[in-house]
């Protein structure tokens, strides 16, 4: 799949919420808000337990909510929660060619926090540095070759 109109991004892939208690957050989102768990895993590399939640039948360009709970207090999410409590931690844009998107954004002056790494379910991800985005952590993701396992 390609991005539309040669834009670097296809859509907002998900919005990530930092949460202290994963089970409590899932219960609220499912029981009260009507979401369902699409995918759940521990990502040791990023120090988080994560859950992707959605409603209804998902399409290719739909958006999901990601819950992120720290695996330890000294993880990035653990430190974030200790300063900010539960709140939006990041917005993630989807691309289908991460390397091309990185090159395009660097040409436009983007500053990244590091190199691409492994994200949810084997996706490739990179983050724009919040010091250069007005304080917002922006993630860019390229789904794995077989697609995301939480897609219908």
């Amino acid at each position: 799949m390609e991005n539309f109109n040669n834009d670097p991004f296809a859509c907002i892939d998900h919005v990530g919420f930092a949460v202290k208690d994963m089970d409590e957050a899932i219960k609220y989102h499912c029981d009260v808000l009507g979401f369902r768990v699409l995918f759940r895993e521990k990502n040791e590399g990023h120090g988080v337990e994560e859950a992707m939640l959605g409603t209804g039948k998902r399409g290719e360009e739909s958006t999901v909510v990601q819950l992120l709970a720290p695996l330890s207090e000294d993880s990035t999410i653990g430190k974030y929660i200790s300063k900010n409590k539960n709140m939006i931690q990041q917005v993630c844009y989807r691309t289908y060619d991460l390397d091309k998107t990185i090159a395009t954004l660097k040409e436009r002056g983007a500053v990244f926090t590091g190199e691409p790494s492994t994200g949810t379910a084997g996706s490739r991800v990179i983050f724009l540095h919040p010091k250069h985005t007005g304080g917002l952590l922006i993630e860019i993701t390229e789904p794995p070759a077989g697609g995301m396992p939480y897609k219908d």
Side-chain angles (χ1 to χ4, degrees):
M1 184 172 286
E2 295 182 30
N3 297 341
F4 302 108
N5 303 320
N6 291 324
D7 292 332
F9 307 112
C11 62
I12 292 176
D13 187 80
H14 64 269
V15 176
F17 295 94
V19 300
K20 189 170 185 173
D21 184 316
M22 179 63 76
D23 291 327
E24 182 180 296
I26 287 175
K27 182 172 176 35
Y28 179 80
H29 277 80
C30 292
D31 294 353
V32 177
L33 300 179
F35 283 79
R36 62 189 171 95
V37 176
L38 303 170
F39 184 78
R40 188 173 179 176
E41 73 175 355
K42 288 186 179 178
N43 186 325
E44 301 285 343
H46 286 270
V48 297
E49 177 180 7
E50 56 187 296
M52 304 302 266
L53 308 178
T55 58
K57 184 168 176 63
R58 293 196 27 79
E60 272 303 307
E61 303 301 333
S62 296
T63 303
V64 297
V65 172
Q66 180 185 46
L67 303 177
L68 299 156
L71 292 178
S72 68
E73 290 181 16
D74 64 338
S75 69
T76 302
I77 292 294
K79 291 175 185 174
Y80 181 87
I81 289 174
S82 72
K83 292 179 185 176
N84 302 291
K85 308 297 180 224
N86 294 345
M87 59 189 312
I88 294 176
Q89 187 267 341
Q90 41 95 350
V91 173
C92 179
Y93 297 115
R94 185 182 313 150
T95 185
Y96 294 106
D97 186 338
L98 187 62
D99 296 323
K100 182 177 178 182
T101 298
I102 291 168
T104 298
L105 296 180
K106 280 184 177 179
E107 286 176 10
R108 296 177 182 173
V111 177
F112 297 90
T113 61
E115 297 298 317
S117 61
T118 302
T120 304
S123 61
R124 289 181 65 216
V125 299
I126 194 164
F127 296 88
L128 290 165
H129 203 294
K131 287 183 181 177
H132 301 274
T133 64
L136 179 63
L137 182 62
I138 297 174
E139 177 184 9
I140 304 167
T141 187
E142 176 186 278
M148 298 305 281
Y150 53 83
K151 299 289 186 188
D152 286 340

